[in-house]
Each structure stands twice: as C-alpha cells, then as structure tokens.
C-alpha cells in the first residue's frame, strides 16, 4: 500500500480542477444576471435542466459523509447501511409526485418561506435559526472534517489542516458564483464522482481477489467477499437476544433491523429530500415537469451509490480481518482512504478528484443554502427590509464566507467530536433531533387543511424534546424495555471510565418522536377552525404524472425490489 503521489496523480487532479474551474467561470460570465438578481443567485431560477437538477442533487448529497462515513459503516455493519441510499430512491419518488407540486404552485423558494406562508412568522423564524445552526454545526463541519481526513489519509497524513483550507477555498470559488454555477458544475462533479468511485470499487474488489489467490478479477473478489463475510451482505439484522454479542448489538443500534423501516428510515429520507433547503433548492426554480424528471433521475442514480461508497468499506473489512490492511487508530472512518492506498499511479489522482468533487459540491451547496436562508429569511425580513437586489446578493456572499470560517474553526481540532461518533452516524443522529418535528409540520401543513400555527410550534417543540428524551433519558426513566421500545447495553467512556450504558436505536427514537408529535399536532389543530385560512389549495391535477415519469418510477421500483430480494 503506497501513500505517495506521483506526477500522473497530480496531472489527473489538475485536469479535474481546471475543468471545473473554467466551466464554472464560463457559466458565471454567460449568466451575468446572477450578480444582481437574488432569485438567479440563490435558485438559478428557470435555467437548470432536468439532468443538471438530478446531477446536482446527487453531487450535493454524496459527500464525505457517504464516501467516508457510509464506507466506514459498510466496514462495520455491511450492506444494511445501503438502506439509506435505496429508501432514498423511494423517498425521491414521493417528493417528485406529491411535495414538489405544492412548492411550485405556491411559489415557495425557501423552507422558512413555506412555514411563514402556511403557518406564521414565528414558526418560520424559529426554523430558520434551527436550520442555520444545523447546517453550520452538523452538516458543514462534518463535510469539512471527514473530507479532509479522507484526502489526508491518501497522502502522508500530515496535511489535514492544509487540505481543509483548500477544500473550503475551492468550494468558496464555486459558491460565490451562485446556484447556477453550482448546479452546472455539479454535472462535471457527479461525472468525476461516479467514474472515480466505480474505478475505486473495481480495484478494491480486484485487491480482494488477488489476496485470495484468485487473480485480478473484480467479480471473483466480490464472490470471495460474499463467502468470507456473509454477515456483511445481510440487509435486515435480527433483534438482539440474551446471547447476542456486543458487536452485533452495536450494529443493531445503528441499523435496527426491520423496525427501522417502520420508523426513522422514512423520517430521515423524507425530511432530507423533501423539507431540506439544501436539497429542494435545486428544483424550486424549475417548472414541474423538469423538476420531477430531475428528482427521479437522482433517485435512479441513488441505486448505484452503495456500489461506489459501501463496497470499498466491505472490501476493507475483509482485508483487515485477514491482516492485509492497517487502519489509522483502528477507526472505521479510515476504511475508504486505506483502500485508496492500493491504487496505482494516475488512478489515485482520479480517486482524489472523485473525493474532492463529492466534498466540494456538497460544501458549495451547503453554504449556498445557509446563505439563502440567512439572506432571504433573516436579513431581508428582520435586519434590512429595504435592502435592494445587489445588497442582498453581496450579503449572501458574506454569509458564505462567514459560514466557512465558522466551519473551519470548529473542525480545526474536531471540537464537536465527529471522529468519535463515526461520521455517518454523527450526522444522522444529530440531524434526527429535529427531523420528526420538521417532517410532521410539513406533511400536515401540506395535506391537512386544519393544521394550525399553534400546532406547528407545539409539534416542533414536542419533536425536539422527545428526540432528546428517547435518545438520552428514556432507558433510565421508563426502563430498559416496554411496549414502545427495547434499550440495549453499549460501552461508553464516562469521565475517563469505560461504563455500560443503555441505548435505544436512534432510528427508533425518531419514529417514536414523530408518532407523538403527529398526535400532539392533530390534537392542537382539532381545537381550531375546520379549515385554516392559510391552508394550501390542492387539486388532483397537480399530482398527475406523465407516462415518461411513470416509466422511470416503475423501473426504479423494480430494480429496488430485486436488490432487496437478493440481500434480504
């Protein structure tokens, strides 16, 4: 395993950088309106094609948390972690058919604007602040940290902070051009991401094949992995019993078997893809047909993502088990970068380019969303109500720079403990504290005309409080097992001492919080008018789909069904 880069690696990476930078600059110069038009700067209104929307969704979604975090969970738990990607494909179908028509019909450009239009300014302001904090201190920081860790692991391991700054500057250059530049450069980014990711997976499987004496055959390597680690190719974990090992319990805590499909898995995906400024922003400036096609194209691409981001992690596990791979500190988050160390000259540069593409596109999209929410939903409404278009665009750019600086400060020495949690789990768990309340507000706000603003506030508070309660206190207060949940023992370091603590799988916590939040919101709304004056006007025609859209939906579902039948 070689961590040194040669001239071919640098050349491949520089070609990638020059291609993205020059194309982004060309798009920027071609669309000069983006300098002063807020809708164009923040939304690329009307200019993104369906393939640009779909590519941008994937490029923004697949980042360090997948390449590093999901690959790490592949190393730890196996193919079960693919549920996040494959259920996302179904979630995107739901978003395309039912959510996007509501947004576009009501001219919704930001998620806080949705809440203001449907409920009131109080709900919108609370959630704007929530989203800004979440995007900066959970998403932005984790992308920066995990991305720097991944690329640093490919070289000599001594340039973490330099790489972190480089990623921030690269993403800044793209983000300052606005959503149009982000969206169209993401087409290149996702191409590099997929090509480089597939090359890495192919060579990871080839290394496994060679290790088992089967020659340089990727298919033979995959077959060897199936035989050597069958437990890593099981989608549904069994519920732990009295004789279950601690390792299997730890896996179940992250991916709680069939129960997660009736609980948090849907909440994670519907909230992320349907109620998330960072994601929905790409489609909000398009017409309905273009937006739907782009979203469904992204859903189809999601079926491929576990091949790129998860299989290398399982390959790393097989090699590690047989003593052919060393992980820095034994951390699962180093699995992907450890596998990249096997790549030959040139291909290592391509893989670094793929990682960089994933990280930079996600960073650019994230800071643009932070900028959009701050400028349109905080600055314009509460700080400078008379701000003109040009002032708002420059305020948005300033917000981009500030967000990146804050992200760097908090990731410089991993002040948030991202590495100790495991990158992917860290993001899912802490995002999950507000997901149940947010999803309940959006679902009831869209499709139940009786939902009130008071119910929205009550739901937001209930969802957050219950998530914290079930995650942190329920086993001590309500016991380790009851009709709602089962808590399991795990080991944590408390005040320097290794201690056994009881924990409920966080996806189950999210499901319980969502259930009770819905009950609270319905109960509060029943005390209001039968039809809220702010309810959206819906009609069946909004949700009809064309035959071409239906064909894409059916193709996605058939492939997904086959995958679950194979690996159940």
């Amino acid at each position: 395993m070689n961590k040194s880069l040669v001239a071919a690696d640098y050349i491949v990476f520089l070609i990638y950088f020059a291609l993205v930078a020059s194309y982004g600059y060309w798009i920027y110069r071609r669309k000069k309106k983006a300098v002063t038009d807020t809708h164009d700067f923040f939304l690329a209104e009307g200019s993104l094609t369906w393939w640009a929307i779909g590519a941008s969704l994937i490029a923004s979604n697949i980042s360090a948390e997948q390449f590093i975090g999901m690959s790490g969970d592949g190393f730890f738990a196996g193919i079960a972690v693919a549920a996040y990607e494959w259920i996302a494909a179904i979630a995107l179908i739901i978003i395309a058919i039912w959510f996007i028509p509501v947004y576009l019909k009501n001219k919704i450009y930001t998620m806080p604007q949705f809440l203001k239009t449907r409920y009131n300014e109080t709900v919108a302001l609370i959630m704007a602040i929530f989203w800004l904090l979440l995007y900066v201190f959970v998403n932005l920081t984790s992308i920066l940290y995990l991305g720097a860790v991944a690329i640093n692991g490919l070289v000599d391991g001594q340039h973490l902070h330099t790489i972190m700054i480089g990623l921030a500057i690269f993403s800044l250059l793209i983000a300052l051009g606005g959503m149009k530049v982000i969206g169209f450069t993401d087409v290149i980014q996702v191409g590099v991401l997929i090509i480089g990711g597939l090359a890495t997976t192919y060579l990871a499987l080839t290394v496994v094949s060679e290790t088992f004496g089967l020659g340089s055959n990727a298919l033979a390597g995959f077959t060897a992995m199936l035989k050597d680690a069958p437990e890593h190719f099981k989608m549904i974990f069994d519920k732990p019993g009295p004789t279950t090992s601690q390792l299997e319990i730890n896996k179940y805590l992250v991916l709680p078997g069939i129960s997660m499909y009736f609980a948090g898995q849907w909440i994670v995906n519907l909230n992320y893809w349907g109620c998330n400024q960072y994601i929905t922003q790409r489609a909000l400036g398009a017409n309905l047909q273009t937006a739907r096609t782009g979203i469904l194209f992204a859903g189809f691409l999601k079926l491929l993502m576990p091949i790129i981001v998860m299989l290398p992690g399982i390959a790393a596990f097989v090699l590690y088990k047989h003593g052919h791979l060393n992980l820095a500190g034994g951390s699962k988050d180093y699995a992907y970068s450890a596998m990249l160390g096997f790549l030959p000259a040139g291909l290592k540069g391509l893989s670094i380019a793929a990682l960089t593409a994933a990280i930079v596109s996600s960073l650019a999209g994230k800071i643009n969303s932070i900028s959009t929410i701050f400028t349109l939903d905080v600055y314009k409404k509460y700080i400078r109500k008379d701000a003109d278009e040009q002032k708002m665009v420059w305020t948005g750019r300033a917000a981009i720079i500030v967000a990146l600086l804050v992200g760097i400060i908090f990731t410089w020495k991993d002040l948030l403990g991202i590495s100790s949690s495991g990158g992917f789990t860290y993001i899912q768990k802490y995002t999950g504290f507000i997901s149940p309340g947010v999803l309940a507000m959006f679902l009831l706000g869209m499709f139940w005309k009786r939902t009130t603003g008071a119910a929205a506030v009550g739901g937001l508070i209930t969802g957050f409080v219950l998530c914290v309660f079930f995650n942190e206190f329920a086993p001590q207060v309500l016991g380790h097992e009851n009709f709602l949940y089962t808590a399991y023992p795990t080991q944590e370091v408390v005040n320097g001492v290794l201690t056994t603590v009881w924990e409920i799988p966080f996806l189950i916590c999210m499901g319980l919080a969502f259930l009770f939040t819905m009950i609270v919101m319905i109960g509060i709304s029943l005390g209001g008018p039968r039809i809220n004056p702010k309810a959206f006007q819906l009609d069946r025609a909004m949700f009809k789909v064309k035959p071409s859209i239906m064909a894409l939906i059916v193709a996605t579902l058939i492939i997904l069904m086959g995958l679950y039948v194979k690996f159940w």
Side-chain angles (χ1 to χ4, degrees), residues 377-396:
D377 296 301
V378 178
Y379 178 79
K380 176 65 174 176
K381 288 186 173 69
Y382 302 103
I383 300 175
R384 285 288 301 274
K385 295 183 179 181
D386 60 342
D388 59 21
E389 296 278 299
Q390 190 170 25
K391 180 69 174 177
M392 289 169 65
V393 169
W394 282 106
T395 299

Side-chain angles (χ1 to χ4, degrees), residues 55-66 85 88 143 193 272-273 278-279 282 302 305 358 361-362:
S56 188
L57 285 170
I58 293 299
S60 299
N61 168 243
I62 301 298
S63 182
E65 69 178 272
Q66 274 78 21
E85 301 299 295
I143 294 169
L193 184 160
Y272 179 85
W273 294 102
Y278 172 53
I279 294 298
R282 277 123 182 97
K302 289 297 283 182
M305 291 304 111
S361 58
S362 292

Side-chain angles (χ1 to χ4, degrees), residues 291-499:
R292 274 181 167 163
T293 307
I295 291 169
L296 292 173
F297 175 53
F300 191 80
L301 291 178
K302 289 297 283 182
L303 301 177
L304 299 174
M305 291 304 111
I307 298 173
I308 294 172
V309 299
M310 182 198 62
L311 278 184
I314 301 178
F317 170 79
V318 171
L319 295 173
Y320 180 78
K321 185 172 73 169
H322 291 283
H324 297 290
L325 186 72
N326 293 318
L327 296 183
S331 171
K332 62 183 182 180
D333 279 343
Y334 286 89
Y336 192 83
S337 56
M339 289 304 302
L340 295 185
F342 288 105
L343 297 178
L347 279 177
K348 186 179 289 186
L350 178 61
S351 292
I352 293 175
L355 264 175
T356 304
I359 295 159
V360 167
S361 58
S362 292
L363 284 174
K366 185 62 67 179
I367 55 181
N368 183 273
S369 296
I370 292 167
S371 169
T372 300
I373 291 176
F374 175 78
T375 305
L376 299 185
D377 296 301
V378 178
Y379 178 79
K380 176 65 174 176
K381 288 186 173 69
Y382 302 103
I383 300 175
R384 285 288 301 274
K385 295 183 179 181
D386 60 342
D388 59 21
E389 296 278 299
Q390 190 170 25
K391 180 69 174 177
M392 289 169 65
V393 169
W394 282 106
T395 299
R397 287 175 172 155
I400 285 172
I401 295 171
V402 171
L404 272 176
L405 288 175
V406 172
I408 291 172
I409 290 170
F410 278 86
T411 53
W412 198 257
K413 292 187 177 180
D414 191 18
L415 296 178
L416 300 172
I418 299 168
S419 60
S420 62
S421 301
F424 192 70
T425 302
Y426 170 85
I427 294 167
Q428 300 303 329
K429 183 172 183 177
Y430 290 103
T431 302
F433 280 144
I434 68 166
S435 296
V438 172
L439 182 59
M441 281 196 303
F442 274 73
L443 283 177
L444 290 177
M446 285 183 187
F447 303 114
W448 193 40
K449 294 183 177 181
R450 194 160 184 167
T451 315
T452 64
V457 175
L460 176 63
I461 296 171
T462 301
F464 179 75
V465 169
L466 287 179
C467 272
V468 173
F469 174 74
F470 283 118
N471 272 289
E472 306 294 338
F473 305 109
Q476 292 75 37
V477 176
L478 303 178
H480 299 160
E481 185 166 7
N482 54 50
F483 73 98
L484 290 174
Y485 63 78
T486 300
Y488 302 95
T490 187
Q491 302 292 314
E492 287 185 7
V493 177
V494 180
N495 298 324
V497 179
L498 189 64
T499 306

Side-chain angles (χ1 to χ4, degrees), residues 119-241:
Y119 295 118
N120 53 57
E121 284 202 17
T122 301
V123 177
L125 179 60
I126 291 171
M127 281 311 304
I129 294 170
F130 257 114
W131 272 313
L132 288 173
L133 293 174
L134 178 71
Y135 288 171
V136 172
F137 293 103
V138 175
N139 299 112
L140 182 62
T141 53
S142 59
I143 294 169
L144 259 179
Y145 178 79
L146 292 173
V149 165
I151 297 175
N152 191 47
L154 291 175
V155 289
D156 58 10
Q158 303 297 316
H159 296 91
L160 180 68
H161 295 130
T162 303
I163 293 168
M164 192 181 297
I165 292 172
L167 291 171
I169 292 173
F170 193 1
S171 62
L172 177 66
L173 293 175
I174 294 174
L176 289 178
M179 179 51 68
K180 187 180 281 90
V181 174
I182 294 171
F184 279 106
T185 55
D186 276 351
V187 176
I188 297 177
Q189 305 274 40
V190 82
V192 173
L193 184 160
I194 291 175
I195 293 170
L198 287 175
T200 301
T201 299
Y202 176 82
L203 286 161
L205 296 177
T206 301
V207 170
V208 173
S209 175
E210 292 171 345
T211 301
F212 281 83
L214 303 173
S216 299
N217 188 319
L219 184 59
F222 181 72
T223 304
M225 285 165 49
L226 285 171
K227 293 178 180 178
D228 189 74
E231 75 285 354
H232 271 58
F233 289 91
K234 184 178 180 181
M235 283 295 300
I236 308 297
F237 293 146
D238 296 327
K239 186 175 181 179

